[in-house]
């Protein structure tokens, strides 16, 4: 099989780091969202089964078919919206499931009609690159902020990364992760007590539909998923040079969410942070083989879903500082590439810088995250500065 021929240690490690970062950074929010609707322990495990299976299949299958990295994740801001609205509105689990299904239908509709892809095609590359840099830069900052609470661990990982970048650049992330795990294990920082041997079993919940749940759960979940997840996800694709069928993939995520919603899959969407890990040069120097990193990520997500508590415990056993440090170091080249692409054009540099700063700020307005408002601010700045002006003269291309 071609996949095994193209697979490398660096690509598999990129997939593992993507799962580690994506899972441990937001799984607590998903648990809070489930508990807000009165979920039983069995239902919470079912949520992880449905989400792991959905993310895994939606990443694995199209990556193998298209031979390009396709990264799908759960909607972290969507989970935050659900956790807040669920507690405030007193909705039942059945009403929540009904809202998930309505959101899935809206996502599917946006993919079938192609309106989201048309909007994204009008955003200049400089704005998209600035959005990417702004989304990822927070993880880079967190990596070095972790020095305050785990100075020896983070310094050991940074030293390992710098040495590996010089001596074995292809395996820099692999060696950095190994150094971090070894340091944490020797120092007794691994929380092995979090590991429990228990398989995940799906639990079906019949949906209930109400106007209040539609307005308070389904619509906000749809809006934040498209604006805060799918928008930066497409920006990562464009900034890394992958031409993927966005509309068809969005339709796929909507249909997958619809099928798995009765078991707890609230919203599946494009990944941004973990996508940058699997689409960057650290995954594989050959762009044509980086799909194996996304496919590896998909396989690991499926394992998370099937083995439930076991894999959950293994991933959460890592110290939080190790997770944020490996994420930040793995994304350094993606951050640099995003900034370089954002600032390359002098005429659009200021608008791109505004996009970057607003996105980096983390501001949330009307329940919508900074990624959306960064694009809005940058596009408005570009409109004010460039509208009506003649385009700069482009020198003729040499044959």
């Amino acid at each position: 099989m071609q996949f095994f021929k193209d697979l490398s240690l660096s690509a598999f490690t990129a997939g593992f780091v993507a799962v580690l970062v994506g899972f441990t950074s937001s799984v607590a929010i998903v648990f809070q969202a489930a508990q807000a609707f009165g979920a039983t322990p069995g239902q919470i495990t079912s949520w992880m089964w449905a989400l792991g299976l959905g993310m895994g299949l939606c990443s694995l299958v199209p990556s193998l078919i298209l031979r390009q990295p396709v990264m799908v994740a759960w909607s972290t801001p969507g989970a935050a919206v659900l956790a807040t609205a669920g507690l405030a509105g007193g909705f039942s689990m059945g009403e929540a499931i009904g809202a998930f299904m309505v959101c899935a239908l809206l996502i599917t509709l946006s993919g079938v009609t192609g309106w989201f892809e048309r909007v994204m095609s009008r955003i200049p590359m400089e704005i998209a690159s600035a959005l990417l840099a702004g989304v990822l830069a927070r993880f880079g900052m967190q990596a070095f902020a972790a020095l305050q609470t785990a100075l020896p661990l983070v310094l050991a990982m940074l030293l390992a990364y710098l040495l590996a970048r010089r001596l074995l650049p292809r395996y820099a992330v692999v060696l950095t992760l190994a150094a971090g795990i070894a340091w944490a294990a020797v120092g007794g920082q691994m929380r092995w007590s979090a590991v429990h041997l228990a398989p995940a079993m799906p639990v079906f919940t019949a949906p209930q539909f109400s106007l209040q749940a539609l307005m308070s759960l389904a619509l906000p979940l749809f809006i934040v998923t498209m604006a805060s997840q799918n928008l930066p996800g497409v920006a990562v694709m464009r900034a890394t040079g992958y031409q993927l069928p966005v509309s068809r993939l969005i339709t796929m995520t909507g249909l997958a969410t619809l099928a798995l919603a009765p078991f707890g899959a609230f919203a599946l969407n494009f990944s941004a942070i973990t996508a940058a890990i699997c689409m960057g040069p650290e995954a594989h120097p050959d762009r044509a083989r980086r799909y194996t990193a996304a496919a590896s990520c998909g396989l690991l997500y499926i394992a998370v879903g099937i083995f439930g508590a076991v894999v959950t415990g293994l991933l959460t056993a890592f110290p939080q500082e190790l997770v944020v440090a490996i994420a930040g170091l793995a994304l350094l080249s993606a951050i640099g590439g995003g900034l370089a692409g954002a600032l390359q054009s002098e005429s659009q540099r200021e608008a791109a810088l505004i996009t970057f700063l607003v996105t980096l700020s983390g501001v949330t307005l009307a329940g919508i995250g900074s990624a959306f408002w960064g694009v809005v601010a940058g596009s408005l700045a570009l409109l004010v500065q460039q509208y009506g002006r003649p385009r700069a003269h482009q020198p003729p291309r040499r044959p």
Side-chain angles (χ1 to χ4, degrees), residues 132-154:
L132 170 65
V135 169
L136 302 183
R138 278 179 286 170
F139 284 80
M141 295 167 61
Q142 289 172 7
F144 294 100
L147 288 166
Q148 294 182 337
T149 54
L151 180 63
L153 171 64
V154 178

Side-chain angles (χ1 to χ4, degrees), residues 55 59 71-75 229 267-272 274 301:
M55 292 186 297
S59 299
M71 293 290 291
V72 171
W74 62 49
S75 175
Q229 290 282 160
L268 300 173
N269 45 246
F270 293 138
S271 169
T274 54
Y301 270 134

Side-chain angles (χ1 to χ4, degrees), residues 10-354:
S10 60
F12 181 81
T13 302
F16 176 78
V17 171
V19 173
L20 176 65
V21 172
F23 193 88
T24 57
S25 63
S26 57
V27 67
I29 301 175
V30 176
F31 284 173
Q32 290 173 3
Q35 291 168 347
F37 302 110
T40 64
Q43 287 175 322
I44 293 176
T45 302
S46 179
W47 278 43
M48 301 314 301
W49 176 87
L51 290 167
L53 205 63
M55 292 186 297
L57 291 175
C58 289
S59 299
L60 173 64
V61 175
S63 294
L64 293 177
I65 293 174
L66 299 172
R67 297 288 175 85
Q68 296 188 77
V70 176
M71 293 290 291
V72 171
W74 62 49
S75 175
T76 300
V81 167
L82 292 174
T84 303
L87 289 173
F91 297 101
S92 67
M93 181 61 74
E95 288 178 302
I97 296 300
F100 300 168
M101 298 181 73
V102 172
C103 175
L105 289 172
L106 293 173
I107 294 173
T108 303
L109 184 62
S110 69
V112 170
T113 59
W115 70 265
F116 183 75
E117 186 171 10
R118 288 195 293 272
V119 170
M120 286 300 301
S121 66
R122 294 180 177 272
I123 297 176
M125 180 57 69
E126 288 80 4
I127 299 296
S129 297
L131 171 64
L132 170 65
V135 169
L136 302 183
R138 278 179 286 170
F139 284 80
M141 295 167 61
Q142 289 172 7
F144 294 100
L147 288 166
Q148 294 182 337
T149 54
L151 180 63
L153 171 64
V154 178
L155 279 180
M157 294 178 68
L158 178 60
L159 180 60
Y161 177 80
L162 293 175
L163 289 174
R165 286 290 291 174
R166 174 165 183 171
L167 302 175
L168 294 167
R170 182 174 176 180
Y171 302 103
V173 176
V174 180
L175 296 174
T176 303
L177 178 61
I181 294 174
W183 189 281
V186 171
Q189 296 174 270
M190 299 293 290
R191 299 186 296 272
W192 299 118
S193 59
V195 180
H196 301 285
L197 297 176
M201 296 296 293
V203 177
F204 177 84
T205 302
Q208 299 175 10
F209 300 95
S210 68
L211 181 60
Q212 186 181 5
L214 170 66
M215 301 303 295
S216 300
L217 297 178
L219 290 181
L221 178 60
F222 169 71
I223 292 171
V224 300
T225 296
M226 299 303 292
S228 300
Q229 290 282 160
N230 280 330
L231 190 150
V234 175
V236 173
M237 297 176 196
R238 294 180 62 192
T240 50
Y242 288 101
Q243 300 299 319
L244 292 164
V246 172
S247 293
R248 282 187 288 164
L249 291 173
I250 286 180
T251 302
M252 175 196 68
T253 62
L255 292 174
T257 302
L258 183 62
L260 293 168
F263 304 98
F266 53 89
L268 300 173
N269 45 246
F270 293 138
S271 169
I273 308 302
T274 54
I277 295 173
C278 291
M279 293 181 178
E282 282 78 10
H284 202 290
D286 185 354
R287 291 183 68 256
R289 296 185 178 184
R290 292 175 195 167
Y291 77 94
T292 57
S296 299
C297 180
L299 287 169
L300 291 170
Y301 270 134
I302 292 172
V304 168
I306 293 174
F307 297 106
V310 180
V311 181
T312 300
L314 286 172
L315 293 176
T316 55
F318 292 98
Q320 186 61 30
E321 291 85 358
L322 185 152
V323 175
V324 298
I326 194 63
L329 294 173
L331 290 169
L332 282 180
S333 64
I335 297 169
L339 286 173
L343 304 177
Q344 65 181 350
S345 173
E346 186 175 354
S347 63
Q348 299 186 6
R349 188 171 298 163
E350 230 174 49
L353 188 58
I354 289 173

